[in-house]
Every structure is written in C-alpha cells, then in structure tokens.
Amino acid sequence: MQQHVAGCGLHTVCLEARCPNIGECFAKGHATFLILGNICTRNCRYCAVSKGTPVILDEDEPEKIAKAVASLNLKYVVITSVTRDDLDDGGALHFAKTIKEIRRFSTEVKVEVLIPDFKQSLKLSLATIMDERPDVINHNIEVVKNFYTALRPKGDYALSLKILAIVTEHGFFAKSGLMIGFGETLDDIIQTLEDVYTAGCRVLTIGQYCASHKGAYPVQKYYTPDEFKEIETIAYQIGFTKVLAAPLVRSSYRAGELFS
C-alpha cells in the first residue's frame, strides 16, 4: 500500500501524521489521502505534519488520487489536507476537483472529506465542496475549548462549530473528532461534546493524544480503556448516534464502518 501510494506521487496523513493505526489500515487497503501538499501553514502544537511555506499546488493531484483509488479498488475514501492559509479559498476548489475526479473513475466509491476551517473564505469554500456532494463532511474540533489558545493558536473554536452547523443545515452527514490527554477535565470534555452536538454533528471519534515528535506538547494524561468507555457512554447520553472512543482511535479510523 505504501509503495503504491508513493509510486503515484501522493501523500497520506497516515504517514505524515505518524498514525498508530497505519499497519491495520494499510493491511485492509484503507488510506486517508493528504492533498494540497504536505506542509501546513498552521502551528498546532500536537501535530506531526511539517509546518512552513507550502509548495505550489500539483494541478494533476486530483486525477492521480482518482487513479490510485480505482487501481486499489477502494470502496470508501477519506480525503484530507494540510491547512493552506496562503490560498484564497483554502484549497476548497482542489477538494472539489478531487471528489469529481474520484467519481469519474469510480462511480460506486463513497467519499468522505476531512476539511480544515477555511478561515478566510468559509461560506464560499464550503459551498464549493458541498456542490460536489461528498458522502460525509468531517471537521475535527480537535481539542476542548479551554486548550485552543495553547494548542491551536491560529484555530477558532467558534468557527469550527459554525462549520459543523452549516454542514448539518445543508443536509450533509456531519462528523467530528476530539483528542484528549492534554490536561483537560471531564467537565471540559462534556462541554465540548455538548457544543459539537448542539452544532448538529451526530457522529464522533475520540482518541488519546500521543506526542508524535520531540517538540510536541507533552501528554498530561493517558486515559484507560474504561475511561474511554465512560466518555463514549456520556456521548451517547448527550444524543450522538455513532461514537468511536478508544486510545488509538483517530478521526479517519474505520471511517467506512462508521458511515455504514
């Protein structure tokens, strides 16, 4: 799987973000494609993706991904990206082209997009993507509200909730993900779950934060499987219809199973 993706000149978040589930997912023929290059313009302190000045867009990337999806005979595809604050639309048109190309080559495949916050062009960028009718629109809340300043200095908690609300209002299958282990309290977690639910999201992933490189924010707490089960139960009590919560859960983990 890794050789095939690399041979196509593509990136996966599985490799770039050093996902702990890469062995399981690659063995099943699952991958989350990373578009818009592999260098992010943000400086989130928990992320392993390279940060700096992005490269020029590969205009052939949407077709390359579509051909890879077809040749691997994938039935469910997740497309995500680095954040590109240097682009007027944040890369939304590139997302749209990728969805269109995948469906041109593979008419039966389900497409989930895991999108950034499009801070500079939210309504236009979301409209561009929604016009292509992806099956799932995922936007991760990432961390609890009280930790945004420390961990996501360029992020905006209210904006992320607004994205989920807009997606839901337009009738899309909305999904979000949360990482824990930064020092948040259970009350912090519950408040975030309630905020995400109020925004309209009904599908949620919750996983343990693990420091992925030397300069990453240090882990403050490792939650036990029983604690994850308790948080999952709380999420269902709040009203979520599908929740996947466990130490190694990531936002794209078993995405096809959650959708089905």
Side-chain angles (χ1 to χ4, degrees):
M1 182 67 157
Q2 184 172 335
Q3 289 173 347
H4 188 96
V5 171
C8 295
L10 301 172
H11 299 289
T12 64
V13 75
C14 320
L15 287 167
E16 301 295 336
R18 303 177 184 178
C19 179
N21 302 306
I22 190 168
E24 176 185 346
C25 294
F26 274 15
K28 292 180 177 178
H30 297 170
T32 298
F33 291 98
L34 184 72
I35 63 173
L36 303 173
N38 64 340
I39 300 176
C40 186
T41 57
R42 298 283 175 93
N43 60 343
C44 302
R45 294 190 60 195
Y46 50 80
C47 185
V49 174
S50 299
K51 303 162 182 64
T53 303
V55 298
I56 296 173
L57 283 184
D58 178 2
E59 297 296 341
D60 295 326
E61 185 175 55
E63 184 176 352
K64 289 178 183 177
I65 287 179
K67 288 180 177 179
V69 169
S71 63
L72 290 167
N73 196 31
L74 302 181
K75 302 302 181 187
Y76 195 96
V77 181
V78 181
I79 306 296
T80 191
S81 76
V82 293
T83 299
R84 293 291 301 263
D85 291 323
D86 59 311
L87 301 175
D88 290 341
D89 71 344
L93 183 59
H94 207 69
F95 265 101
K97 288 178 178 178
T98 302
I99 299 168
K100 183 178 291 185
E101 285 297 306
I102 289 173
R103 289 188 168 145
R104 186 166 71 89
F105 281 84
S106 309
T107 57
E108 300 298 321
V109 68
K110 301 295 182 184
V111 181
E112 175 177 326
V113 291
L114 173 54
I115 59 173
D117 62 21
F118 299 122
K119 197 170 188 177
Q120 303 171 131
S121 57
L122 176 59
K123 289 186 178 180
L124 177 61
S125 294
L126 275 183
T128 299
I129 290 173
M130 290 190 293
D131 282 347
E132 294 302 324
R133 309 300 303 177
D135 296 283
V136 179
I137 299 180
N138 186 348
H139 176 69
N140 288 334
I141 198 67
E142 299 283 15
V143 300
V144 300
K145 181 179 181 179
N146 291 343
F147 279 72
Y148 256 63
T149 301
L151 298 173
R152 308 195 70 200
K154 292 185 179 180
D156 186 324
Y157 185 80
L159 182 65
S160 287
L161 292 176
K162 185 176 181 180
I163 290 170
L164 295 172
I166 293 173
V167 166
T168 303
E169 287 166 4
H170 283 79
F172 285 89
F173 190 92
K175 177 181 172 184
S176 192
L178 174 69
M179 289 183 295
I180 56 177
F182 299 101
E184 66 286 307
T185 66
L186 181 59
D187 285 343
D188 288 332
I189 294 171
I190 293 172
Q191 181 61 61
T192 300
L193 298 186
E194 290 176 343
D195 289 344
V196 171
Y197 180 82
T198 300
C201 179
R202 296 294 180 266
V203 180
L204 186 69
T205 59
I206 308 170
Q208 170 70 49
Y209 167 65
C210 298
S212 53
H213 59 94
K214 188 176 180 180
Y217 192 88
V219 177
Q220 299 300 311
K221 174 180 171 60
Y222 286 103
Y223 288 81
T224 67
D226 285 343
E227 287 175 309
F228 270 101
K229 189 65 179 176
E230 177 188 357
I231 294 168
E232 180 182 289
T233 299
I234 291 170
Y236 278 122
Q237 289 172 344
I238 288 172
F240 287 92
T241 56
K242 291 189 178 181
V243 182
L244 196 58
L248 294 185
V249 167
R250 299 296 180 264
S251 56
S252 300
Y253 185 56
R254 297 185 177 176
E257 294 176 31
L258 276 181
F259 176 74
S260 63

